[in-house]
Amino acid sequence: MRQRVAADFAQARADLEELVRIPGCAFPGFPDEQIDRACQKVIDIYRAAGFPQVQRLDIDGGKPAVLAEAPGPPGSPTVLLYAHYDVQPAGDVSLWDSPPFEPSERDGRLYGRGAADDKSGVVIHAAVMRAFEGRPPCTLRVIVEGEEEWGGPFTDHPRSHPDLFAADAIVVADVGNARLGQPAFTTALRGMGAVTVECRTLAGAVHSGMFGGPAPDALMALITLLATMRDADGETVIEGIDGFDWDGADVDEADFRDIAGVDPDQPLIGTGSVASRLFSKPVVNVVGIDAPPTQGAVNAVIPEAKARVSLRVPPGLDAVAARDALIRHLESHAPWGVHVSVTPDVVGQGVRVDTSGPAYAAAREAMLQAYGTPVQEIGAGGSIPLVDSLLAAVPGAEILLFGAQDPLARIHAPNESVDLAELQRAILAEALFIRNLGSGVL
Ligand SMILES: [Zn+2]
């Protein structure tokens, strides 16, 4: 298998380069024509890889997906392989060292928008099919969507079409390892929620010399209220939202500081391991405030102020319940009897994956075989809403998240890239996983 994957890798890379050349972005304002081209290219790649059935799936109100199927031997398990072909916009092209939609290799990495996120996932599934020379030991069904980055209606597709997603195991190849060459399963994704909080104190702005003192300042009240969400260490403290200590691999502090761009003399905030702070504890951030700008500010007591608060929810907690706990906190901690109103906004459920089943056993063995080192469990600070949707639609399936992205891939940023050796290892790992699962050796 290792030799077959190595011999085929030039084809995998050629597939990836062709995909990177198509700027298919699902965000409003970007041309559908490029999405259609990218979709057709995915269809061509899967046909050429030997899938006997490949079709375009039109999604109501969304961008087309691709469905490719290959039957395994009678009675073999069904494995659903997921990726997405749409990409983030390139952003400011002047920040790229090479043009975003022209694949370019430097130091073993292939640069280009989508090279990692998630066109790497698209080509992994095709290369795995070729590795089995058209006769996979499991029934394979590949679903590649075209609107993941934008967050279109495809996310609800598993709930409305559970039969399409029915499988014994689902591989979401839209993540990666915390370090090159160190295999990882992503087993926890934080949920999210958001609220808008508003303080009102006066009928209108009044002179701070004549009224300041007894007249309550809405902006000071809002700031005082927001400050109650964190303690002196910077830890988020909301009654009813409890995190836990991360027991998988930790995150290297120096790597984290470097990738996050934390100033060298600025300590990290919060307590516990970096991984716990990043993957398994709650956190609130104030992401916007409506208040008078400093430019042109006058000496007045502010009558109203508003903030948007973003919440990241520990995996395993219900995101709606967590958001409601945040609302209760804000309503009950207003200083000085100030009137506060809180408006709930979006939530996205987090996920904590059960890794005790037979597919995980097969994948653990495959990772060891492919990378030569035992797999570790990592979390993800962000959420993948589709995973929650899959868990709800196919409750019996084991969901595995692994792939070829790594922290140096700079996904969503300028100079996105994929490490080519890592991509080859990811192909081998997925192929060995399917072989192990199909042979029932574990
Ligand atoms: Zn992605």
Side-chain angles (χ1 to χ4, degrees):
M1 185 67 79
R2 193 180 301 273
Q3 282 162 4
R4 276 208 294 272
V5 167
D8 176 76
F9 190 66
Q11 182 62 54
R13 179 186 170 150
D15 289 348
L16 183 58
E17 294 196 2
E18 287 198 59
L19 284 168
V20 167
R21 287 201 174 88
I22 306 173
C25 177
F27 285 69
F30 287 80
D32 271 343
E33 179 201 325
Q34 299 292 1
I35 281 286
D36 286 333
R37 281 182 66 210
C39 180
Q40 186 58 47
K41 178 57 71 184
V42 175
I43 289 171
D44 295 345
I45 288 171
Y46 287 131
R47 286 215 172 107
F51 282 95
Q53 290 177 53
V54 186
Q55 64 181 93
R56 174 178 158 132
L57 274 186
D58 283 307
I59 305 297
D60 260 1
K63 309 296 182 193
V66 174
L67 170 65
E69 293 178 282
S76 60
T78 296
V79 180
L80 177 70
L81 303 170
Y82 167 89
H84 64 87
Y85 69 79
D86 64 301
V87 297
Q88 286 278 324
D92 182 351
V93 176
S94 73
L95 298 175
W96 287 74
D97 296 333
S98 55
F101 300 108
E102 273 174 39
S104 155
E105 183 183 346
R106 296 190 290 280
D107 298 328
R109 301 190 70 99
L110 189 76
Y111 286 81
R113 173 57 85 225
D117 180 15
D118 181 34
K119 288 171 172 176
S120 66
V122 177
V123 305
I124 287 170
H125 304 326
V128 163
M129 183 64 184
R130 289 192 299 270
F132 291 115
E133 294 167 334
R135 293 185 308 279
C138 297
T139 292
L140 300 185
R141 189 181 311 131
V142 185
I143 295 185
V144 175
E145 73 162 300
E147 54 185 12
E148 195 276 342
E149 301 294 356
W150 169 55
F154 183 86
T155 303
D156 295 322
H157 214 63
R159 283 194 179 87
S160 51
H161 301 75
D163 293 350
L164 187 59
F165 294 84
D168 298 289
I170 300 176
V171 177
V172 176
D174 188 18
V175 292
N177 300 332
R179 256 174 194 281
L180 283 176
Q182 167 56 62
F185 296 135
T186 299
T187 57
L189 302 163
R190 288 196 290 201
M192 58 164 295
V195 302
T196 302
V197 52
E198 189 166 9
C199 292
R200 255 173 204 287
T201 53
L202 300 165
V206 293
H207 192 275
S208 63
M210 291 170 68
F211 300 98
D217 171 338
L219 185 52
M220 282 298 296
L222 178 67
I223 290 166
T224 305
L225 172 58
L226 295 175
T228 65
M229 299 189 295
R230 300 254 195 167
D231 69 12
D233 294 319
E235 189 99 332
T236 293
V237 279
I238 310 287
E239 200 180 322
I241 314 182
D242 296 318
F244 57 93
D245 288 328
W246 182 251
D247 58 3
D250 199 5
V251 172
D252 183 81
E253 179 166 343
D255 283 355
F256 176 82
R257 299 183 70 96
D258 188 40
I259 294 163
V262 182
D263 287 341
D265 55 357
Q266 165 67 54
L268 298 185
I269 61 171
T271 59
S273 70
V274 178
S276 293
R277 287 182 250 175
L278 199 53
F279 303 147
S280 59
K281 290 184 167 197
V283 64
V284 288
N285 287 292
V286 178
V287 295
I289 283 195
D290 292 344
T294 55
Q295 180 104 44
V298 296
N299 289 326
V301 181
I302 308 294
E304 59 188 2
K306 195 196 259 189
R308 184 174 167 88
V309 177
S310 144
L311 169 69
R312 294 287 169 176
V313 181
L317 275 192
D318 177 49
V320 175
R323 183 197 58 191
D324 291 348
L326 172 61
I327 292 173
R328 279 196 303 279
H329 177 101
L330 291 166
E331 286 172 345
S332 61
H333 284 74
W336 323 318
V338 164
H339 178 75
V340 167
S341 60
V342 187
T343 313
D345 206 335
V346 291
V347 290
Q349 293 294 349
V351 169
R352 211 174 172 187
V353 175
D354 176 5
T355 61
S356 63
Y360 263 94
R364 222 171 263 122
E365 181 64 18
M367 290 294 215
L368 182 60
Q369 292 162 334
Y371 290 81
T373 181
V375 64
Q376 56 180 208
E377 292 188 17
I378 59 175
S383 34
I384 305 180
L386 180 76
V387 175
D388 177 56
S389 180
L390 287 170
L391 281 169
V394 200
E398 288 181 72
I399 299 200
L400 302 99
L401 292 95
F402 60 87
Q405 301 173 17
D406 75 292
L408 303 176
R410 307 191 72 86
I411 64 168
H412 299 199
N415 299 312
E416 178 177 350
S417 67
V418 71
D419 183 277
L420 290 165
E422 188 84 338
L423 177 61
Q424 189 173 333
R425 287 188 288 263
I427 293 167
L428 180 60
E430 187 174 289
L432 291 171
F433 159 60
I434 290 161
R435 189 201 62 177
N436 293 349
L437 188 67
S439 69
V441 290
L442 292 144

